């Protein structure tokens, strides 16, 4: 996983900072997904951190997000 911490507010009301991560899947290591990393302070992010995909439901759209994998 690689990530960046963004401090630029691109939309009114957007919370900053926020983390964008690129992760791969164990089942398909050549497939990468870029999504917001939630439920994890930027100071606790590690490059070897296992992630899981969750979805944010906004109106009629489901937005993929990452969060740390629960043990």
């Amino acid at each position: 996983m690689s990530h960046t911490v963004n401090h630029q507010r691109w939309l009114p009301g957007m919370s900053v900072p926020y983390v964008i991560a690129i992760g791969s899947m164990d089942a398909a290591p050549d497939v990468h997904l870029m999504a917001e990393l939630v439920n994890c302070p930027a100071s606790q992010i590690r490059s070897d951190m296992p992630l899981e995909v969750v979805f944010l439901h906004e109106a009629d759209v489901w937005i993929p997000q990452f969060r740390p994998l629960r043990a």
Side-chain angles (χ1 to χ4, degrees):
M1 181 218 17
S2 61
H3 73 282
T4 184
V5 179
N6 293 285
H7 297 273
Q8 174 68 42
R9 183 174 286 116
W10 295 104
L11 299 170
M14 185 177 215
S15 297
V16 291
Y18 60 97
V19 178
I20 299 295
I22 299 174
S24 61
M25 298 182 286
D26 290 340
D30 292 335
V31 175
H32 301 279
L33 176 65
M34 181 170 34
E36 183 179 9
L37 177 59
V38 296
N39 300 339
C40 185
S43 61
Q44 295 181 7
I45 298 171
R46 303 180 332 266
S47 62
D48 62 344
M49 176 182 288
L51 304 174
E52 64 182 347
V53 177
V54 294
F55 293 90
L56 172 65
H57 188 206
E58 290 285 336
D60 61 345
V61 177
W62 292 85
I63 302 168
Q65 296 178 315
F66 289 123
R67 72 175 175 205
L69 183 64
R70 297 179 184 172

